[in-house]
């Protein structure tokens, strides 16, 4: 059986073997010489750097994790209560491969609507997933397995991990226009051109709301046009919805793009995450769903999704799922949650106004209206990587080099400092 | 808002027609869309400002997707649940049960959880590599806290999604850095191993392991097959309590296995899912891994806390790569992270915190060791009882002592598929088709019944 070793690993083998035959007690040379250090993750690496900084002024507006006005992580009251209820009571038996049915059912209602016919008709194949990342990854693997010749169209820019996910799933990537640097808004005309020019039946990944990293969302009218054009072209729409509730404060409103597509009869795919809107970041809770023609197909598709999950992690973690189903299954807790989500969204909307006002007060020659036009956790500031580096080196302000500010990290305590720093590095631009 | 969609019964499109073709067909002017024939698509009329158009709604791309087969292990529990017989016994999935056949949450886990609840810790993302306290604790548990490999920082550890997830990340590392290298897995092995390597696109082949004649280890076959593998293959070894057979090499045999692996420049890849569950001693069960480490070998090792801490559904485990230098460990860890990021970004926090709290607290740790011994002890005692019943009730003189020689949660009964089916169909005993029974699901009270079922299936079914 011929081994397809590369020359490099062959020579590695040889030198290793020469060393070994000396004595079986001799320390082996390493198998791993050819393994290079991986570059730091552009997003999660920011927090690592932030944590290592001793400066008392440091500000972390890097990773999209919500902070309260004191800059502290928040565990929602509804979550604490849910945890009290579930602590120690239930056993920890394996969930089914598709995860908690109860949690999935509640989650589908959020995306598809409480009274969705698709849910009633059992036309949705859905599994609990490892938050948004896991949902996207299983979808990407599913796409590779069942549409092996397809590609994925990804907006420019997008969350950097999207590229990693489809790449590791071996699905070739194309991009479509999205962000318009001149207006710091949506490049709608180019987006539509790309949709029209893509081959019929292409797969597109869309951010359902609160686009990451730009915070730029299509209007309702624009969504309707996109949906219409997708129908004309027979494209497949995969929605990544990581911020439902977080954008406007109202989950129903934030799901509008999806509802438009559903009304138009699209058979969509959807990734949902509870990392931000329920503050369950580290619990890794989410859902992957695919709309099918009928119940029978949904059953078959779900079985195949499970088939992908089994050799990846067997079955998903229970704790976060229990929290979700406890909250969403109890009307009072659900109301509390809705209130808390709105509270988080409102604080961010307030910080947007505050940041913009503060920069404008300093007499900046540039326009900063995009700060309040954009929506959700992030603001695409328009700053260059060099300006961002200055922010970090001179002001100990941490953000990703694409100029994305996580508004969740902005507080009434640091907004002035942040405004000053931004003004400082951009005033000469 | 009520949809005005008209739906038609699903019709399977001809397999020859591509999705694109179907679409073009529907949109062609004068196409059958407005006609009276049944369409596989739903139609909807929609107003767009001044223009009213009927536009085809997407046909499903999933028409040709067939039903996946039920998982051979997890599917067993589903079938068991559906069985209405009073006599039913679930010996399928390896999940520990008490004598009352109830799931068991370890007392020490409850204590740890309550402590965590009181502390009210936040739920922030863990780093990609997982909880630092957990990673430290898990490596110490595996190698021994005093092991020089730890002092020398030669182990790259990242928290993973239990055993499965840790194996998968390791498999991806192999695929990426050793393209074409093969993994050798035991015949038989846990059913999901091959799925993991298949999905990670790592070629695999089997080494002989189970000898049906002796219902023991085919040691010569194992050594021969490992010797024959291309140099630089990865050899997947069960650290203790082999799944599904329960047959472990002796310490002398482990030495010989290490010899041949070194001779052939192979890389040992341990799957340790039952540390503590085999002998009852956490240290003893790690001795195979420690033996290899002591020889200065590099190795990979996946760990799981599903069984030994009862944290099944929390998905807690780790992948460890023992390298020859601290510098290599740093590089390897960075690449493990790079694989994890597009799979799940960062691992779930809850289970990791439980483990870190249990292992990190001397009182909890001792309590855990006691509970571990209790669980392993219960399994040893049902083994004995099962053996006693088999010997007493089977008049054929067949040697059932393999039941006692095997170790860990499982027993490989030697029953073939037809006989295993008989166990289920006639006796309502649920097990996997390879003849594996999970003793963790057996109570002392049911030993006699099980013995009867096994004797009947073995002798009366072929």
């Amino acid at each position: 059986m011929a081994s397809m070793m590369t020359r490099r690993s062959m020579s590695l083998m040889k030198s290793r073997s020469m060393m070994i035959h000396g004595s079986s007690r001799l320390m082996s040379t390493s198998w791993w010489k050819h393994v290079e250090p991986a570059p730091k993750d552009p997003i999660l690496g920011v927090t690592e750097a932030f944590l290592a900084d001793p400066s008392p002024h440091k500000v972390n507006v890097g990773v999209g994790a919500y902070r309260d006005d004191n800059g502290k992580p928040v565990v929602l009251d509804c979550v604490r209560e849910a945890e009290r209820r579930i602590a120690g009571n239930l056993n920890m038996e394996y969930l089914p491969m598709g995860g908690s049915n109860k949690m999935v059912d509640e989650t589908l209602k959020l995306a598809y609507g409480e009274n969705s016919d698709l849910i009633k008709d059992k036309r949705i194949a859905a599994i609990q997933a490892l938050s948004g990342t896991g949902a996207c990854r299983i979808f990407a693997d599913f796409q590779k397995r069942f549409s092996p010749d397809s590609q994925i169209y990804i907006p420019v820019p997008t969350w950097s991990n999207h590229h990693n996910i489809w790449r590791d799933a071996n699905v070739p990537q194309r991009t479509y226009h999205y962000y318009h640097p001149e207006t710091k808004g949506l490049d709608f005309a180019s987006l539509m051109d790309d949709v029209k020019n893509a081959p019929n039946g292409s797969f597109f990944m869309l951010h359902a709301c609160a686009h990451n990293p730009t915070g730029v969302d299509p209007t309702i009218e624009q969504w309707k046009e996109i949906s219409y054009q997708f129908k004309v072209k027979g494209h497949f729409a995969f929605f990544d919805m990581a911020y439902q509730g977080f954008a406007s404060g109202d989950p129903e409103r934030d799901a509008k793009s999806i509802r438009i597509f559903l009304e138009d009869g699209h058979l969509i795919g959807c990734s949902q995450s509870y990392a931000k809107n329920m503050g369950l970041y580290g619990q890794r809770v989410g859902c992957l769903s695919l709309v099918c023609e009928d119940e029978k197909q949904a059953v078959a598709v779900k079985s195949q999704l499970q088939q992908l999950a089994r050799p990846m992690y067997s079955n998903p973690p229970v704790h976060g799922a229990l929290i979700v189903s406890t909250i969403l299954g109890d009307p009072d807790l659900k109301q509390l949650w809705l209130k808390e989500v709105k509270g988080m969204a409102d604080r961010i909307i307030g910080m947007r106004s505050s940041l913009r006002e503060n920069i404008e007060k300093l007499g900046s020659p540039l326009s900063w209206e995009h700060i309040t036009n954009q929506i959700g956790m992030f603001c695409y500031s328009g700053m260059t990587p060099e300006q961002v580096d200055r922010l970090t080196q001179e002001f100990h302000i941490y953000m990703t080099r694409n100029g994305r500010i996580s508004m969740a990290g902005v507080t009434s305590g640091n907004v002035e400092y942040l405004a000053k720093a931004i003004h400082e590095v951009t005033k000469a631009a | 808002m009520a949809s005005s969609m008209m739906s038609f019964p699903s019709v399977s499109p001809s397999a020859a027609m591509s999705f694109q073709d179907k679409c073009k067909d529907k949109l062609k002017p004068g196409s059958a869309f407005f006609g009276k024939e049944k369409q596989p698509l739903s139609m909807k009329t929609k107003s767009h400002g001044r223009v009213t158009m009927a536009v085809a709604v997407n046909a499903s791309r999933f028409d040709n997707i067939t039903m996946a087969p039920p998982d051979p292990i997890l599917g067993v529990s589903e079938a068991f649940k559906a069985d209405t017989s009073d006599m039913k016994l679930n010996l399928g999935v390896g999940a520990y049960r008490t004598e009352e056949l109830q799931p068991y949450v370890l007392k020490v886990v409850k204590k740890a959880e309550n402590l965590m609840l009181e502390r009210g810790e936040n739920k922030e993302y863990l780093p990609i590599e997982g909880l630092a306290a957990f990673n430290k604790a898990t490596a110490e548990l595996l190698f021994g806290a005093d092991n020089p490999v730890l002092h020398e920082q030669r182990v790259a550890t990242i928290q993973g999604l239990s055993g499965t997830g840790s194996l998968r990340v390791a498999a991806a590392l192999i695929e990426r850095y050793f393209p074409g290298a093969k993994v050798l897995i035991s015949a038989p092995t846990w059913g999901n191993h091959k799925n993991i390597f298949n999905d990670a696109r790592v070629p695999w082949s089997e080494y002989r392991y189970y000898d049906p004649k002796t219902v023991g280890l085919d040691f010569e076959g194992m050594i021969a097959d490992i010797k024959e593998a291309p140099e630089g293959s990865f050899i997947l070894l069960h650290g203790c309590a082999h799944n599904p057979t329960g047959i472990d090499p002796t310490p002398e045999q482990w030495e010989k296995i290490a010899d041949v692996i070194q001779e052939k420049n192979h890389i040992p890849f341990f799957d340790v899912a039952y540390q503590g569950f085999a002998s009852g001693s956490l240290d003893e069960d790690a001795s195979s891994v420690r033996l290899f480490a002591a020889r200065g070998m590099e190795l990979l090792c996946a760990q799981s806390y599903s069984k030994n801490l009862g944290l099944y559904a929390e998905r807690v485990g780790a992948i460890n790569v023992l390298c020859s230098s601290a510098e290599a460990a740093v590089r390897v860890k960075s690449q493990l992270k790079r694989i994890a990021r597009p799979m799940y970004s960062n691992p779930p926090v809850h289970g990791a915190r439980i483990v870190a709290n249990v292992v990190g607290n001397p009182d909890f740790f001792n309590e855990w060791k006691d509970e571990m011994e209790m669980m392993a002890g219960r399994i040893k005692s049902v083994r004995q009882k099962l053996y006693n019943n088999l010997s007493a009730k089977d008049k054929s003189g067949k040697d059932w002592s393999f039941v006692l020689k095997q170790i860990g949660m499982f027993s490989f009964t030697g029953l073939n598929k037809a006989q295993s089916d008989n166990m289920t169909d006639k006796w309502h005993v649920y097990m996997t088709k390879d003849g594996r029974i999970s003793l963790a699901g057996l109570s002392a009270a049911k030993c006699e019944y099980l013995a009867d079922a096994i004797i009947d299936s073995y002798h009366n079914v072929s």
Side-chain angles (χ1 to χ4, degrees):
Chain A
M1 216 168 309
S3 167
M4 288 149 31
M5 299 245 184
T6 60
R7 222 189 245 135
R8 200 171 169 195
S9 44
M10 288 280 259
S11 73
L12 186 65
M13 215 75 72
K14 223 173 147 198
S15 65
R16 184 186 162 80
S17 122
M18 280 175 356
M19 228 185 127
I20 294 300
H21 286 143
S23 150
S24 66
R25 297 276 161 202
L26 192 67
M27 182 91 72
S28 347
T29 44
S30 182
W31 285 101
W32 312 106
K33 275 209 168 76
H34 60 308
V35 175
E36 283 144 16
K40 285 218 173 294
D41 183 274
I43 303 173
L44 303 177
V46 170
T47 297
E48 282 179 29
F50 168 82
L51 289 170
D53 185 332
S55 162
H57 305 295
K58 63 182 182 178
V59 175
N60 186 358
V61 284
V63 73
Y66 182 79
R67 296 284 177 272
D68 64 14
D69 198 48
N70 295 312
K72 296 279 176 258
V74 171
V75 179
L76 302 182
D77 288 340
C78 61
V79 169
R80 286 272 182 244
E81 175 54 30
E83 283 210 298
R84 266 191 288 276
R85 295 186 193 182
I86 67 183
N89 287 339
L90 297 163
N91 65 62
M92 293 165 181
E93 293 295 291
Y94 291 125
L95 283 177
M97 285 181 281
S100 155
N101 287 325
K102 192 162 173 233
M103 175 258 177
V104 168
D105 288 344
E106 291 295 337
T107 303
L108 293 180
K109 285 191 214 160
L110 282 180
Y112 295 88
E114 286 269 342
N115 299 311
S116 160
D117 283 334
L118 293 170
I119 295 179
K120 287 201 190 87
D121 296 341
K122 304 202 178 143
R123 285 178 51 193
I124 307 178
I127 59 166
Q128 179 185 337
L130 291 159
S131 207
T133 304
C136 287
R137 176 55 179 270
I138 298 277
F139 175 73
D141 283 348
F142 178 83
Q143 179 186 356
K144 182 65 185 177
R145 186 165 285 184
F146 293 102
S147 288
D149 300 328
S150 66
Q151 301 168 319
I152 187 78
Y153 280 80
I154 293 184
V156 178
T158 193
W159 178 49
S160 58
N161 206 26
H162 280 142
H163 293 295
N164 298 335
I165 289 168
W166 268 273
R167 181 202 62 222
D168 275 22
N170 284 296
V171 174
Q173 299 172 34
R174 306 284 310 260
T175 56
Y176 62 91
H177 286 84
Y178 192 84
Y179 179 67
H180 199 222
E182 288 75 31
T183 57
K184 299 192 180 58
L186 183 64
D187 187 352
F188 187 60
S190 303
L191 189 161
M192 291 305 283
D193 279 344
D194 288 344
V195 170
K196 286 176 191 148
N197 293 332
N200 289 352
S202 294
F203 285 67
F204 276 75
M205 191 271 294
L206 305 158
H207 296 228
C209 65
H211 181 272
N212 177 1
T214 67
V216 170
D217 284 351
T219 62
I220 288 179
E221 277 316 305
Q222 288 173 330
W223 274 123
K224 286 180 178 167
E225 282 195 56
I226 296 169
S227 172
Y228 174 74
Q229 196 57 44
F230 265 55
K231 272 192 297 186
V232 169
K233 297 287 300 182
H235 290 329
F236 178 88
F238 181 73
F239 283 94
D240 185 356
M241 183 158 67
Y243 298 96
Q244 187 181 13
F246 230 96
S248 67
D250 175 4
E252 279 298 294
R253 200 164 137 199
D254 289 349
K256 190 65 186 164
S257 58
I258 290 178
R259 306 290 172 83
I260 287 168
F261 272 65
L262 294 173
E263 268 172 49
D264 284 353
H266 288 287
L267 301 173
I268 65 166
C270 182
S271 154
Q272 290 168 268
S273 165
Y274 286 102
K276 286 74 161 179
N277 61 11
M278 227 182 250
L280 296 179
Y281 307 93
Q283 305 292 338
R284 321 309 296 128
V285 208
C287 179
L288 167 64
S289 56
L290 293 168
V291 178
C292 302
E293 278 183 325
D294 55 32
E295 183 180 350
K296 180 157 175 257
Q297 194 182 85
V299 169
V301 169
K302 179 176 170 168
S303 76
Q304 295 293 351
L305 294 177
Q306 288 178 177
Q307 192 90 319
L308 287 161
R310 173 54 158 160
M312 208 182 273
Y313 50 85
S314 281
N315 36 68
V318 69
H319 193 75
L322 273 177
I323 294 175
V324 173
S325 57
T326 301
I327 291 171
L328 297 183
D330 175 322
D332 292 332
L333 279 182
K334 185 170 179 181
Q335 280 308 113
L336 177 56
W337 173 58
L338 290 169
K339 186 164 148 249
E340 291 187 281
V341 167
K342 182 160 195 315
M344 291 194 285
D346 284 348
R347 190 183 90 66
I348 287 181
I349 291 169
M351 285 297 107
R352 284 185 181 277
S353 301
S354 186
L355 181 62
R356 177 181 165 185
E357 276 162 30
N358 272 283
I359 300 178
E360 286 172 346
K361 244 186 346 195
L362 293 165
S364 171
L366 306 166
S367 163
W368 295 97
E369 60 176 24
H370 54 284
I371 296 182
T372 46
N373 285 341
Q374 292 164 4
I375 193 170
M377 205 178 266
F378 302 110
C379 163
Y380 221 44
S381 61
M383 288 186 287
T384 64
E386 293 72 35
Q387 290 169 333
V388 171
D389 287 343
R390 278 191 66 196
L391 282 179
T392 306
Q393 281 146 27
E394 291 170 36
F395 296 93
H396 306 276
I397 292 172
Y398 290 81
M399 65 175 73
T400 49
R401 288 186 89 231
N402 54 9
R404 181 191 85 166
I405 301 174
S406 172
M407 294 307 300
V410 181
T411 67
S412 49
N414 64 27
V415 65
E416 277 182 51
Y417 177 70
L418 185 58
K420 210 176 80 185
I422 291 175
H423 176 58
E424 212 32 58
V425 307
T426 57
K427 62 188 182 188
Chain B
M1 189 185 295
S3 161
S4 57
M5 240 193 291
M6 290 179 279
S7 44
F8 294 87
S10 250
V11 170
S12 280
S14 110
M17 218 179 178
S18 77
F19 177 70
Q20 269 86 328
D21 291 341
K22 277 187 276 172
C23 255
K24 281 195 228 125
D25 230 21
K26 299 303 165 216
L27 296 171
K28 265 199 316 247
S31 78
F33 221 74
F34 293 95
K36 296 206 181 93
E37 306 104 283
K38 285 201 173 150
Q39 302 290 334
L41 306 172
S42 329
M43 259 172 55
K44 187 169 149 67
T45 318
K46 191 164 169 83
S47 247
H48 265 284
R50 296 169 296 258
V51 180
T52 302
M53 293 195 144
V55 190
V57 151
N58 302 349
S60 176
R61 292 155 192 263
F62 311 134
D63 284 331
N64 297 326
I65 292 182
T66 54
M67 190 73 189
D71 184 274
I73 303 172
L74 302 177
V76 172
S77 289
E78 289 176 23
F80 171 82
K81 278 201 190 95
D83 187 331
T84 52
S85 160
D86 284 332
M87 305 304 295
K88 67 179 182 177
L89 190 56
N90 187 358
L91 303 182
V93 72
Y96 180 83
R97 294 281 178 277
T98 62
E99 170 63 28
E100 296 74 33
L101 298 185
Q102 291 304 310
Y104 181 62
V105 180
L106 275 70
K107 295 196 192 73
V108 75
V109 168
K110 285 191 194 160
K111 287 185 184 175
E113 278 210 301
N114 283 325
L115 192 63
M116 284 156 57
L117 199 65
E118 273 167 46
R119 281 201 210 117
E121 281 156 331
N122 68 51
K123 301 187 178 313
E124 293 298 287
Y125 289 125
L126 285 178
I128 302 173
E129 67 262 38
L131 186 67
F134 167 82
N135 289 341
K136 178 168 187 289
T138 200
E140 286 178 358
L141 196 66
L142 180 65
F143 292 103
D146 297 326
N147 199 318
V149 307
L150 294 178
H151 295 308
E152 291 159 19
Q153 301 189 306
R154 292 199 282 125
V155 183
T157 301
I158 71 165
Q159 180 187 337
L161 286 153
S162 203
T164 305
S166 306
L167 288 162
R168 179 58 178 271
V169 169
L173 187 74
I174 293 171
E175 193 269 342
R176 192 165 283 187
Y177 288 99
F178 298 88
K182 223 170 27 159
V183 174
L184 266 73
I185 63 180
S186 63
T189 192
W190 178 49
N192 205 27
H193 278 143
K194 62 174 178 10
N195 297 334
I196 292 169
F197 295 116
N198 283 341
D199 275 25
R201 291 180 312 277
V202 174
W204 55 270
S205 68
E206 286 176 310
Y207 59 85
R208 278 168 283 173
Y209 194 81
Y210 172 66
D211 185 350
K213 289 194 251 39
T214 59
V215 195
L217 178 60
D218 179 359
F219 186 60
E220 259 143 51
M222 177 180 184
I223 296 294
D225 289 345
I226 292 178
K227 253 197 187 133
E228 214 203 304
E231 209 179 286
S233 295
F234 288 78
I235 313 295
L236 189 65
L237 303 158
H238 298 228
C240 64
H242 184 272
N243 177 2
T245 67
I247 298 163
D248 284 351
T250 62
E252 297 72 35
Q253 288 172 328
W254 275 121
E255 294 274 2
K256 293 211 174 74
I257 294 166
D259 285 341
V260 71
I261 286 178
Q262 277 183 305
E263 260 173 59
K264 294 290 303 193
N265 266 336
H266 294 323
I267 307 171
F269 182 178
F270 284 94
D271 184 355
V272 173
Y274 297 98
Q275 187 180 0
F277 240 110
S279 66
S281 155
L282 290 160
D283 284 320
E284 202 182 305
D285 287 352
S287 55
S288 58
V289 178
R290 295 181 191 182
L291 187 157
F292 280 62
R295 287 181 171 223
M297 295 169 82
E298 290 185 310
L299 56 88
L300 298 110
C301 182
Q303 291 170 280
S304 165
Y305 289 91
S306 290
K307 287 71 165 184
N308 58 10
L309 257 173
L311 294 177
Y312 307 92
E314 301 293 348
R315 320 310 294 129
V316 206
I319 178 68
N320 302 276
V321 183
L322 169 56
C323 307
S324 60
S325 68
E327 184 264 334
V330 167
R331 285 183 282 113
V332 169
K333 182 166 170 170
S334 77
Q335 294 296 349
L336 291 172
K337 284 163 66 169
R338 203 162 144 245
I339 289 166
R341 173 54 159 159
M343 224 183 254
Y344 50 84
S345 280
N346 37 68
V349 65
H350 192 74
R353 280 204 180 125
I354 295 174
V355 175
N357 278 302
V358 168
V359 176
N361 173 320
D363 292 332
F364 283 176
F365 190 50
N366 285 329
E367 250 195 83
W368 178 32
K369 286 197 262 198
D370 291 340
E371 283 192 275
M372 195 63 254
E373 264 187 63
M374 180 276 292
M375 292 193 286
R378 190 183 91 65
I379 290 181
K380 282 187 200 156
S381 77
V382 294
R383 271 193 191 277
Q384 185 68 53
K385 194 143 190 220
L386 177 63
Y387 168 75
N388 294 344
N389 274 286
L390 285 165
S391 304
K393 299 195 123 197
D394 182 18
K395 306 302 176 197
S396 75
K398 176 176 160 67
D399 179 9
W400 294 100
S401 65
F402 62 83
V403 171
L404 292 178
K405 292 195 200 116
Q406 292 165 0
I407 194 170
M409 215 182 253
F410 303 108
S411 171
F412 220 45
T413 55
L415 295 175
N416 63 30
K417 182 172 184 309
Q419 292 164 336
S420 302
D421 284 343
N422 186 64
M423 294 286 286
T424 306
D425 299 337
K426 182 170 171 192
W427 295 87
H428 304 277
V429 172
Y430 287 79
M431 50 191 282
T432 48
K433 303 300 174 201
D434 53 4
R436 181 191 88 168
I437 54 174
S438 170
L439 295 169
L442 180 62
S443 59
K446 289 290 240 171
C447 283
E448 193 181 335
Y449 179 76
L450 181 60
D452 288 339
I454 292 174
I455 291 166
D456 172 59
S457 305
Y458 181 77
H459 289 297
N460 299 331
V461 178
S462 50

